[in-house]
Amino acid sequence: MSTLLIAEHNNQSLSESTIKSATAAVQMGGDVHVLVAGAGCAAVADEASKMAGVSKVLLADDAQYEKQLAEPIADLVVSLAGDYATIATPASTNGKNFMPRIAALLDCSQISDITAVIDANTFERPIYAGNAIQTVRTSEAKKAITVRATAFAAVEMSGSAAVEAISATANSGLSEFIGEELTKSDRPELTSAKIVVSGGRGMQSGDNFPMLEKIADKLGAAVGASRAAVDAGFVPNDYQVGQTGKVVAPDLYIAVGISGAIQHLAGMKDSKVIVAINKDEEAPIFQVADYGLVADLFNAVPELEEELGKIGL
């Protein structure tokens, strides 16, 4: 009945999604062990050991795990899998990359994007772009699970689990890291931000997104976008919120010029407070918004910026 939670990290600190996914792992019952695989990541293992409910942290420190490529991570997890009934990880880009490979190698089904744990073998997950919740029960001896971290609260950092160093598996050489191009920003990361300001097709062009960036900077918010805005080339892909983008659940979500297609709602409707600005009073976004303003965004957004300035933001 034990669970192995594969930690997501940047070799310096745990991701918030891991800390929230640990809540799901604890709810499954039994011992919870955390696998920290990376390079020069001892500090991450120490941080993981503080997560409440975790009884052991396994540290695999090797150059082949630095970027969490699917092939070496899967080989490592499969070598450890015999001791665990459940393998879990956040439903992040990394988790969605390596978990299907792990499930295939273990010859078990994958249960993706769970949002609730009923018991050790029963889970809830959204389907039909979040319009229905499916209850899944499995009788398989092994379970491969990805966790929608935004659906769970973070565990307390009050634990004191032991950290055990483990050996790396042989590198199969099936893949290697070549390079990456990362968007650098002083704003919070989109999936962990407490406030998100998103723009849609109604922004008309990428040249108008600085309007939202000014609001975001005043609020300490991240900037997002609908798929329509991304497909139109207004902003890069990593801004996209929605079913095929990033799933967010901030304290405040401000949707500007977004109609509210079902695919976008699937990525943000769990936000605690939703504010919508759109000149179309029939826009679907108003059906989920807590506060709606029917107005031309090119008038409303500058006015919002001005009002924020009046209160010292």
Side-chain angles (χ1 to χ4, degrees):
M1 293 293 290
S2 55
T3 297
L4 180 65
L5 175 65
I6 307 169
E8 181 170 271
H9 58 87
N10 60 3
N11 293 304
Q12 298 173 359
S13 60
L14 279 176
S15 68
E16 185 177 357
S17 61
T18 300
I19 299 173
K20 291 182 175 180
S21 295
T23 298
V26 171
Q27 290 175 2
M28 294 175 199
D31 291 336
V32 176
H33 295 177
V34 176
L35 173 62
V36 175
C41 56
V44 179
D46 289 340
E47 186 180 359
S49 71
K50 296 179 173 62
M51 293 194 294
V54 172
S55 56
K56 184 189 289 186
V57 176
L58 304 177
L59 172 60
D61 197 327
D62 192 273
Q64 65 177 310
Y65 305 132
E66 181 179 4
K67 297 298 182 180
Q68 293 199 318
L69 299 180
E71 290 80 4
I73 290 292
D75 289 345
L76 176 63
V77 172
V78 170
S79 74
L80 301 169
D83 296 329
Y84 302 98
T86 303
I87 311 295
T89 199
S92 60
T93 301
N94 277 340
K96 292 175 180 178
N97 186 30
F98 60 67
M99 190 57 86
R101 185 176 183 86
I102 291 170
L105 291 171
L106 293 176
D107 194 24
C108 68
S109 302
Q110 178 174 319
I111 304 174
S112 302
D113 236 18
I114 67 165
T115 55
V117 177
I118 307 302
D119 59 40
N121 297 306
T122 312
F123 312 92
E124 290 183 354
R125 59 184 299 274
I127 58 174
Y128 303 131
N131 280 297
I133 300 298
Q134 181 182 59
T135 300
V136 180
R137 182 171 181 82
T138 179
S139 58
E140 290 185 290
K142 294 285 184 189
K143 298 181 288 293
I145 292 174
T146 59
V147 180
R148 180 175 288 194
T150 54
F152 296 89
V155 295
E156 295 183 4
M157 302 299 286
S158 57
S160 55
V163 178
E164 176 185 326
I166 61 173
S167 300
T169 52
N171 192 338
S172 64
L174 290 174
S175 65
E176 63 176 313
F177 177 77
I178 301 299
E180 62 187 353
E181 295 182 11
L182 300 177
T183 300
K184 295 183 179 180
S185 175
D186 293 330
R187 300 188 186 95
E189 205 280 322
L190 187 57
T191 56
S192 60
K194 301 299 182 185
I195 303 175
V196 174
V197 181
S198 283
R201 194 196 307 272
M203 297 300 297
Q204 296 184 5
S205 80
D207 294 337
N208 293 322
F209 262 78
M211 295 170 54
L212 301 188
E213 292 169 356
K214 291 178 182 178
I215 300 295
D217 290 341
K218 287 180 178 292
L219 295 174
V223 177
S226 67
R227 178 172 178 172
V230 170
D231 287 350
F234 296 172
V235 289
N237 287 356
D238 55 353
Y239 279 48
Q240 185 177 327
V241 174
Q243 185 180 16
T244 55
K246 296 179 179 178
V247 177
V248 301
D251 293 335
L252 173 62
Y253 188 88
I254 303 176
V256 182
I258 294 175
S259 63
I262 186 172
Q263 291 85 356
H264 184 76
L265 299 183
M268 47 66 71
K269 66 180 183 180
D270 289 332
S271 304
K272 292 181 175 62
V273 176
I274 299 172
V275 175
I277 301 173
N278 198 299
K279 64 181 181 181
D280 178 9
E281 62 181 22
E282 301 297 328
I285 191 71
F286 289 124
Q287 296 177 16
V288 299
D290 297 284
Y291 301 94
L293 175 62
V294 179
D296 186 332
L297 69 89
F298 294 103
N299 295 325
V301 172
E303 290 175 6
L304 174 58
E305 181 186 356
E306 183 180 346
E307 292 298 321
L308 291 173
K310 290 180 181 178
I311 61 174
L313 294 178

